[in-house]
Amino acid sequence: MRIEIVAVGTELLLGQIADTNSAWLGEHLAANGVASHFHQAVGDNHDRITLALRTALARSDGVIMCGGLGPTQDDITREAIADVMNVALVRDQAIVDVIAGFFEARGRTMTDNNARQADVPQGATLIPQVAGTAPGLICPVGNKVVYAVPGVPYEMSEMFERGILPDLRARMAASGEESGVIASRVLRTWGASESGLAESLQDRIDALDASGDVTLAFLASGIEGIKVRITARARTLEDVTALLDKEDAEVRRAIEDRLGDIVFGVDDESMEVAVATRLIARGLTFGVAESLTGGLIASRVVNVAGASSWFRGGVVAYDSQVKFDVLGVPTGPVVTESAAAAMAEGAARVTGADVGLGITGVAGPDDQEGVAPGTVFVGLHLPGLPPQTRELRVPGDRERVRQYGAISALDLLRRALDASST
């Protein structure tokens, strides 16, 4: 069964609020084996809402409409649905009484316009409201269906679980469609281009196109790298997990053979989580000295729950004299590999950490010490090992150079910790 999501609200088109409802619905439809091939957003205009709804019904088995069920003059989802159904709206006095009681319980008087929320297209079934005032609707359109729910996220999600999902399951069972589960797993990578990843996985993509059970997609995520999404459909959660596990191993093998160890996490595992996992496993503490990134690395690592158990602290040594006086960097140029190495050693010493990281460079827009913008130097201090340094060339404007520099430095630390443990 294919369900299309139509989000209603001019504020969505103006970028005043993010459409989190469509993302939530897409995820929960997939978890219940329901395909959602199209999502739309449409403003508060009757003609455009009816056009969006007719378009959705032409290519999908059902539609979930979010928003436009409130009491104001721009809440016109009910009218649009009734127009598409070619039926009249009928005011349900029982719903009016429920809404009035909602206001009375809060010591307020219901204004007349709230009664609009009790207007129901003829032939529709109500999803009673338990958290607000506007009820949801289940509206048959021929052999298809339109669901309408409020745009308030907690009201929408509650109605989906209580009203929409049971109805969807009943329709799928009546049509003989097997229930199933659609699930995804995201492998997070750093250090390769989207085209490079696609090339490394072309053989897998070709094989999966032939089978049809699993698909791969690439998600460019800016300063968080390139994500490879594995999506599978199966009859049960156990079956779909087995498919994901199998393809996860195949994808990792193909990437590593062509591009090396660039997979650093799964789903929500950030680069700082990857670093934290390795530090904790080895019982090591960490300190950082930052110039170019101005505290971005420290800010990222303290986002990890429990960071106080392994992160000792950081020094933002933006001025050269702080590098000399606090971190012990030798007097001289500070945008060099040797300065980064000295900063790493100083970070470990000043914070009392086992592992130190130092980063310096030029964010731009101008050269510094004859070094071009986008040049980044990273130094690492690991116990029992000689200093490690790396020069990086990072693209982009000042902000992106700083952000890319921060995650690149953490990635170098991740790799160094892996190499030192073998």
Side-chain angles (χ1 to χ4, degrees):
M1 189 166 187
R2 295 167 300 171
I3 293 294
E4 183 156 341
I5 299 165
V6 177
V8 179
T10 301
E11 65 276 9
L12 300 171
L13 302 180
L14 296 177
Q16 293 172 341
I17 65 170
D19 179 17
T20 57
N21 284 345
S22 293
W24 189 96
L25 286 167
E27 178 183 359
H28 285 75
L29 287 170
N32 288 278
V34 181
S36 180
H37 295 164
F38 300 96
H39 291 188
Q40 296 186 66
V42 62
D44 301 306
N45 175 277
H46 182 88
D47 290 343
R48 288 192 284 274
I49 294 173
T50 56
L51 175 61
L53 182 51
R54 293 184 195 277
T55 301
L57 287 169
R59 62 193 180 191
S60 300
D61 302 305
V63 183
I64 300 177
M65 302 189 74
C66 296
L69 296 180
T72 60
Q73 74 280 359
D74 59 345
D75 290 312
I76 52 179
T77 294
R78 298 178 202 82
E79 289 82 351
I81 294 174
D83 193 2
V84 171
M85 294 174 69
N86 196 27
V87 299
L89 283 170
V90 179
R91 184 154 296 180
D92 188 323
Q93 186 58 43
I95 297 299
V96 175
D97 295 341
V98 169
I99 296 171
F102 178 90
F103 280 90
E104 289 172 6
R106 288 156 178 77
R108 300 165 60 190
T109 301
M110 185 188 83
T111 56
D112 290 342
N113 62 351
N114 278 282
R116 295 182 66 245
Q117 297 171 102
D119 291 344
V120 181
Q122 283 183 322
T125 302
L126 288 173
I127 306 175
Q129 175 66 265
V130 297
T133 55
L137 300 169
I138 302 175
C139 307
V141 184
N143 63 347
K144 300 188 177 185
V145 62
V146 176
Y147 303 101
V149 291
V152 179
Y154 67 85
E155 295 180 29
M156 176 277 299
S157 58
E158 194 279 331
M159 284 191 185
F160 175 84
E161 298 286 358
R162 177 169 49 87
I164 295 178
L165 193 54
D167 189 77
L168 273 176
R169 285 173 174 159
R171 291 174 185 273
M172 293 169 70
S175 67
E177 182 176 346
E178 285 191 15
S179 62
V181 178
I182 302 172
S184 295
R185 182 177 301 171
V186 175
L187 302 184
R188 305 181 66 165
T189 74
W190 183 257
S193 66
E194 187 174 1
S195 59
L197 268 175
E199 184 177 348
S200 71
L201 291 171
Q202 191 59 55
D203 290 344
R204 289 305 309 155
I205 294 171
D206 293 342
L208 294 174
D209 284 345
S211 71
D213 292 331
V214 183
T215 61
L216 296 182
F218 302 94
L219 309 173
S221 302
I223 61 171
E224 296 303 321
I226 308 294
K227 299 174 183 177
V228 182
R229 187 185 67 225
I230 309 168
T231 302
R233 177 170 184 163
R235 189 175 59 84
T236 67
L237 179 60
E238 291 76 12
D239 291 341
V240 82
T241 300
L243 284 175
L244 290 175
D245 288 344
K246 179 178 181 297
E247 193 55 35
D248 181 321
E250 295 283 358
V251 168
R252 287 174 185 265
R253 187 179 302 112
I255 291 175
E256 188 161 0
D257 287 347
R258 296 287 295 274
L259 300 173
D261 180 24
I262 65 170
V263 177
F264 66 82
V266 176
D267 293 334
D268 295 330
E269 294 175 356
S270 62
M271 184 67 78
E272 49 269 28
V273 168
V275 169
T277 300
R278 287 157 174 79
L279 290 169
I280 292 169
R282 298 182 56 185
L284 298 173
T285 55
F286 174 56
V288 62
E290 304 181 62
S291 180
L292 166 84
T293 48
L296 288 177
I297 294 174
S299 178
R300 290 186 67 129
V301 300
V302 297
N303 281 331
V304 180
S308 59
S309 68
W310 52 269
F311 181 54
R312 297 300 300 270
V315 177
V316 177
Y318 211 67
D319 185 82
S320 297
Q321 201 62 46
V322 177
K323 296 180 180 69
F324 304 148
D325 295 345
V326 176
L327 297 172
V329 175
T331 303
V334 294
V335 189
T336 63
E337 286 190 61
S338 60
M343 290 174 67
E345 191 281 327
R349 174 177 46 79
V350 169
T351 64
D354 303 307
V355 175
L357 184 153
I359 184 168
T360 184
V362 182
D366 301 320
D367 291 3
Q368 183 179 339
E369 296 180 0
V371 179
T375 305
V376 178
F377 297 105
V378 179
L380 298 176
H381 168 86
L382 275 72
L385 295 174
Q388 301 180 42
T389 60
R390 178 72 64 85
E391 177 181 347
L392 307 173
R393 295 299 175 93
V394 180
D397 59 15
R398 182 177 178 84
E399 177 61 17
R400 281 186 288 177
V401 168
R402 296 174 65 243
Q403 294 284 357
Y404 285 143
I407 190 171
S408 296
L410 287 170
D411 186 51
L412 290 173
L413 176 56
R414 173 186 72 89
R415 293 168 180 261
L417 289 169
D418 283 345
S420 65
S421 64
T422 58

